[in-house]
Amino acid sequence: MKSCKGIENPAFVSSSPDTPRRVCASSPSIDISVLPTPAAGSPPPPAPQEPLEPPQLSGVPGASELESLSEYEEGPCGWGSFQPRALQRCNTPGGFLFHYCLLALTQGIVVNGLVNISISTIEKRYELQSSLTGLISSSYDIAFCLLSLFVSFIGERGHKPRWLAFASFMLGLGALVFSLPKFFSGKYQFGSLYEGIGYAMSILGPAVGYVLGGQLLTLYIDVDLKHSIDITEDDPRWLGAWWIGFLISWLLAWSLIIPFSCFPKHLPGTAKIQEGKVSQTHQSGSLQATDGNFGQSFKDFPAALKNLMRNTVFMCLVLSTCSEALITTGFATFLPKFIENQFGLSSSSAATLAGTVLIPGAALGQILGGVLVSKFKMTCKNIMKFALLTSVISLVLTFVFAYANCENEPFAGVSESYNGTGELGNLTAPCNAHCNCLRSYYYPVCGGNGVQYFSPCYAGCTQSVSKIHPKVYYNCSCIEGEIHITPTPSSVSLEAQAGKCSSQCKNLPPFLGVFFAAIVFTFMAGTPITVSILRCVNQRQRSLALGIQCTLLRLLGTIPGPIIFGSTIDSTCILWDINECGNKGACWIYNNVRMAYMLVAISVICKIITVFFNGLAVFLYKPPPSVTDVAFQNQNAVLTAVSLECDLNKAGNDG
């Protein structure tokens, strides 16, 4: 019996999942011939029959899979014939991972960090509604949907590092374009595992974006005018320098173009890693791409797409990620706005606080999920069960929004009458009717009676002291009753001071604590579900599978998410900004309780959908035969072939 060097007898392959599986490419079956010497005058024996080839079963690579290993062409680091020796130190998985992490970090800073914390400022600067800014936030995902299937199918056989170099260019260009409105709109006039590591870095990016953006919002939008204006960050008319972060991201993204362009198509050691992989593809009745040339041409795209869409487990996992993406992107976009309005914080403070809670929770969840899956060496089905468990826990924790809401502070003309006069919904009352106040001039003041007023004019104030910060007002005809603001020697007759009234709500700490736990358990399922998707599809279709996942995730999740959240938040507005022309702009005051309950309803519905599809995936998944079973099936097929050949030879002799 011939053997191939380094090849083990398939009948004695170890069942350990960590043992590399190798077979001899030139001998897919064992050929044993027992032929007797023919006697003189006897007819020649029949021609030897072709050995019966054992069936190719998933879990053990066949000849077509071994031939595919030649696809993983490894090469040096450089550009054409220019391959400096110093660059070869970077031609390793670690070197590539470093640059990939920088790209993921930059992408996270821009897409999920700077854009989200700038939403509130952009709304006020350009008089936009939340539903429209939600659409702006979704524009990245809309473009992604247009290209993802093409890139994932063609990119699987393309030069991936060069694709990433092009991605760096486009990301930087997008950041530059996003900042251009600042320069074209003039000065602001205020009213008088590697997978786990990669995912972790993509989560760290938004954290940096939130913190960096929050600090930039403390700078005045026109940085050259900071010392010549008389408003402070506590003033609701204050707008921060949201645009600076996009310029920084533009330079950072473009700095990665050259490093990515020098990497080879496949890093050294790729073929060895691919050879040792074992399939856990879901066993369904769908077409399996076993042809070694399948997917080499774009004409195979419809068949490949149909194959994946018929994989029920894959589709269940994808739909579960879509429902999760809808609420995570919605909260990532509008959580700072929610905190700002519910708890009475400034835009910069709300953005920084949201980032320091949301992003570390997401990163911790991603890392914990990847570590637990790796440490316990979970099978594909156990990974899906783990994702189901974390989804159920996060569903329970989602109800935090129903108990952490805060009642609106009294607002004259909106939720509180003018000392028993006037009508709710009308800012004008007998006490300020003679003042001819402008609705377009929003400059809230807090009265000594604890009631907030739209502006000093609507409070009926006729005098002020501007040398004191915050600015104080007195002789206010609409403010009566007991004075709750402690007077000072310089403001004995103080009746109002600039700014919103301080929120009396004490629910912020418990809200942040429970919300942090909900985020951790939500993102703990992120890496496990991605691993499950990669394991339950054919190896040749993994890139396309991720492309389909990302496309549907955008179409059903991240694109409608901010739009739905923005429209929902707009529906809770009780005081709109109306300019001189009567056009409606941004919202000034929201119904806090209604906003909280509306967001709870959206979150619970999406979480229930996630739990349903995760549970359905666990129920439908059919693992491939175990490696030991495959080995003995191969051995039985070989022995059957040998027995049949011997019987044929014996029949020929007897004849």
Side-chain angles (χ1 to χ4, degrees), residues 38-229:
S42 64
Q49 301 294 317
E50 288 292 329
L52 298 181
E53 184 173 329
Q56 291 293 332
L57 300 173
S58 60
V60 173
S64 62
E65 291 180 340
L66 288 172
E67 290 171 0
S68 69
L69 296 180
S70 61
E71 298 178 0
Y72 303 104
E73 178 185 354
E74 303 169 3
C77 194
W79 301 271
S81 59
F82 180 67
Q83 301 168 357
R85 180 174 299 178
L87 288 181
Q88 307 316 312
R89 297 181 179 180
C90 299
N91 195 21
T92 62
F96 181 83
L97 178 64
F98 172 76
H99 291 92
Y100 176 79
C101 287
L102 288 180
L103 178 60
L105 180 69
T106 306
Q107 185 265 355
I109 290 175
V110 177
V111 178
N112 297 317
L114 294 176
V115 171
N116 294 338
I117 64 99
S118 302
I119 287 295
S120 180
T121 302
I122 292 175
E123 284 182 2
K124 297 174 184 177
R125 175 63 180 89
Y126 301 106
E127 299 181 352
L128 303 177
Q129 298 181 21
S130 294
S131 56
L132 182 56
T133 55
L135 179 61
I136 294 174
S137 178
S138 298
S139 60
Y140 169 86
D141 299 308
I142 294 174
F144 187 97
C145 287
L146 298 176
L147 298 174
S148 61
L149 288 180
F150 167 77
V151 172
S152 60
F153 185 80
I154 301 299
E156 170 67 17
R157 284 151 294 281
H159 199 294
K160 295 178 183 176
R162 291 178 185 170
W163 279 103
L164 292 177
F166 179 71
S168 301
F169 170 80
M170 294 303 297
L171 180 62
L173 181 62
L176 175 62
V177 171
F178 204 96
S179 67
L180 292 182
K182 161 64 182 70
F183 304 100
F184 293 153
S185 57
K187 301 294 184 182
Y188 167 56
Q189 301 294 329
F190 56 86
S192 308
L193 291 99
Y194 284 159
E195 289 171 358
I197 296 176
Y199 278 115
M201 289 302 293
S202 65
I203 295 297
L204 179 61
V208 176
Y210 271 91
V211 175
L212 173 63
Q215 294 303 310
L216 291 175
L217 290 181
T218 62
L219 300 176
Y220 187 62
I221 186 171
D222 299 315
V223 291
D224 55 326
L225 299 180
K226 181 177 181 180
H227 300 292
S228 60
I229 58 175

Side-chain angles (χ1 to χ4, degrees), residues 239-251:
L239 295 183
W242 59 271
W243 51 275
I244 297 179
F246 291 95
L247 296 182
I248 297 174
S249 300
W250 160 50
L251 297 175

Side-chain angles (χ1 to χ4, degrees), residues 443-474:
Y443 182 51
V445 295
C446 182
N449 55 359
V451 177
Q452 185 172 311
Y453 297 84
F454 189 84
S455 68
C457 180
Y458 279 103
C461 302
T462 58
Q463 294 179 300
S464 65
V465 178
S466 58
K467 295 182 180 180
I468 303 176
H469 288 282
K471 194 173 183 179
V472 297
Y473 299 85
Y474 52 98

